[in-house]
Amino acid sequence: MSTFDAVNSVFPFLYGVPIVHSYQLETKFLLYWYLPIAAFSFYFTGYIKNALMTYGKAVIIRNYSKSKWILKRFIGMIYALCLFVLFQISIFYLFLSGKHSLPDGEETVKLISIYYLTLVVIFSIQLLLELYVSPQISQLIINIYIVLSVLLTKQLYLTGSSETIYYFFITNYGMGFKTGISSIPQYQTIIIDYWVGIFVLLIFGLIILSFSMRRLKNIDIF
Amino acid sequence: MIKMLDVSKKIKKTYVLKEISYTFDQGNIYGIFGKNGSGKTMLLRSIAGLVVPTEGQVDINGRLLHKDISFPPNVGVIIENMELLPQYDAFTNLYILSKIKKIATKDDIEETIRKVGLDPNSKLKVKDYSLGMKQRLNIAQALFEKPDILLLDEPTNAIDESGVNLVYDLLLEEKKRGATVLIASHHKEDISLLCDDTLKMADGMLTNE
């Protein structure tokens, strides 16, 4: 059994990266968890800026509401992300369902919901950043944030920081190991309350959308 | 009528438009000439409402841009990097855009596509168009809703000679209809015969020729 198989789950990506002393184990979990997310991030690079600077001009110039335009882009992102996550789930189900048993229904639904919501918020930040910096810089910033927030969480946990600070690292929300939803106690370190996490993610999502709408109203479209 | 009132635009400490005051009358064709980087495109963008002037205001028929209105009420624009959806054919592209304002019919779309020398029934996708065909479609995109104001940045770019004459005829038709047409170009000789007035753009300043 490989180290990664140690989580004994059909959907290991839903558990994220545990807080463990072993750097090798941490890196392995991080890579498995992070690679699909990095791929999503590449897909969404330029999703707002490039669309705005090309076809978006033809639309907006016709007095189409800027708020409506950006809302449609965000809905498009949410929809695409839904397909990505479903695809990810299908792939893991096909390859691992024979080796491991499925987690119970409620646990799976909760894990998928918060994982999906976390990704929506992370990529909403990437899209918002595109209204301030170039798509490439935005992608770089969000990827640095994703990786750093995982690594910093561990360091902060080991130094015994206050619990509130973990809520600023959104990536932790989508990890079953950190929300306590996983049924693998040896890797579990509960630092995020599941329902508080869901609430914070929804609030973050709305704030980001509102900021994006306000920003687009004042931005120059070249 | 378009009135520019002391319009300036500053980008990263550089003024790309400098205190431009000018009135463009309804039903005239204006040619704006100047070298690359002189500010022609930025002038058109500021009239189109795509950029917000750092100072001054743009008045469109008595209403101030970015104050009373976000964009001119009925404007057709060709501006750099403006692209249509590559996965659709010409008719579908314009049909999708027509749903926003709902003032152009399917017949208007077909007629305009034909006028620019393209086939409205062709299923060829825009991604398979030549540069000249894309530019013709861009012209159709600007014209098909019969706008009151036409802002055209290098409209004859990539178009062959017969196509250029076709575009000129179309612009004269638009003038007859009462549209105000602003054409930015770096080839003064090409379109000066078409224009009622020619203006020179240099270092962000607009002057009469």
Side-chain angles (χ1 to χ4, degrees), chain A residues 54-73:
Chain A
T54 54
Y55 184 68
K57 268 190 257 188
V59 174
I60 286 173
I61 208 81
R62 288 176 161 77
N63 261 302
Y64 191 80
S65 157
K66 284 182 179 179
S67 301
K68 204 171 162 186
W69 184 84
I70 203 150
L71 183 66
K72 276 197 168 182
R73 294 308 289 175

Side-chain angles (χ1 to χ4, degrees), chain B residues 35-76:
Chain B
K35 288 189 266 182
N36 293 334
S38 58
K40 304 183 298 287
T41 306
M42 194 57 72
L43 179 77
L44 296 191
R45 283 185 188 129
S46 65
I47 297 171
L50 290 169
V51 301
V52 185
T54 313
E55 291 144 39
Q57 281 167 328
V58 181
D59 179 316
I60 311 280
N61 296 326
R63 293 198 284 175
L64 294 177
L65 265 185
H66 308 294
K67 200 172 176 187
D68 305 323
I69 46 173
S70 301
F71 297 98
N74 195 10
V75 65

